[in-house]
Amino acid sequence: MKIIRILALITGGLIAGSMFGIWRGYNPSGLSAAASVEQHQQAIRGLNVLLPVLGALTIVLTIAIAVHVRRTRMALLTFVVAALLFAVSGIVTRARNQPINRIVMGWDARTPPREWLGLRETWWHWHLIRTFTGMAGFFLLAGGVVLWPDHVDRDQAETGHSDTMA
């Protein structure tokens, strides 16, 4: 189970960190149309497949941890909510951001269509939602891994109670 926890932290950290980095470092609001489109297209080429795969893996790993700790109600709740928050990020990505990504990939950065600014703002709105749900999911995942380490899970299963100070 430790390897699953480590992998979940790695994939969850990569997901949350990527979304955070885009939020803080790639806000397109001050960019020209051409720069905004070029930046967006480059991000799509680099991340549009990788991050959803990492996100799906994070959800699966977090659910696996939840199943493992199911006898400890608060641990179970922590990991289930973390998985749900990661899932919300994934659904927002798939249903809101990626359709816009497909449209943006068809644009010529030198002559974007009239609606480019509105689509950019819509994409950014949905990015903020997925960023905050993804970060919240990661905080719960990391907190749960720290609060309910493997040895506590086993101890509770053997003794019927949890000693989180162990």
Side-chain angles (χ1 to χ4, degrees), residues 14-154:
L14 288 170
I15 290 295
S18 294
M19 290 186 292
F20 179 83
I22 292 167
W23 170 50
R24 296 304 303 152
Y26 291 93
N27 184 338
S29 64
L31 298 177
S32 67
S36 179
V37 170
E38 287 173 348
Q39 177 180 285
H40 195 142
Q41 289 173 338
Q42 182 59 33
I44 292 167
R45 282 189 284 276
L47 302 172
N48 206 45
V49 173
L50 176 63
L51 292 184
V53 169
L54 287 174
L57 185 55
T58 301
I59 294 165
V60 169
L61 293 167
T62 304
I63 290 169
I65 297 169
V67 169
H68 182 72
V69 301
R70 67 188 175 276
R71 291 184 189 100
T72 306
R73 181 180 294 246
M74 285 305 296
L76 173 64
L77 184 61
T78 298
F79 291 112
V80 166
V81 172
L84 288 172
L85 287 165
F86 284 125
V88 167
S89 291
I91 291 166
V92 167
T93 297
R94 185 74 178 136
R96 300 298 183 195
N97 292 99
Q98 285 184 332
I100 295 171
N101 289 350
R102 282 189 288 282
I103 294 168
V104 171
M105 287 308 288
W107 292 350
D108 179 339
R110 295 168 295 184
T111 58
R114 283 187 210 142
E115 70 271 11
W116 77 272
L117 187 57
L119 277 175
R120 181 183 79 180
E121 295 304 316
T122 301
W123 187 95
W124 191 252
H125 166 80
W126 290 111
H127 175 67
L128 293 178
I129 291 171
R130 72 180 178 176
T131 296
F132 291 111
T133 57
M135 288 173 52
F138 181 70
F139 294 156
L140 286 174
L141 170 63
V145 167
V146 169
L147 289 173
W148 293 286
D150 270 348
H151 68 276
V152 173
D153 300 338
R154 284 192 308 273

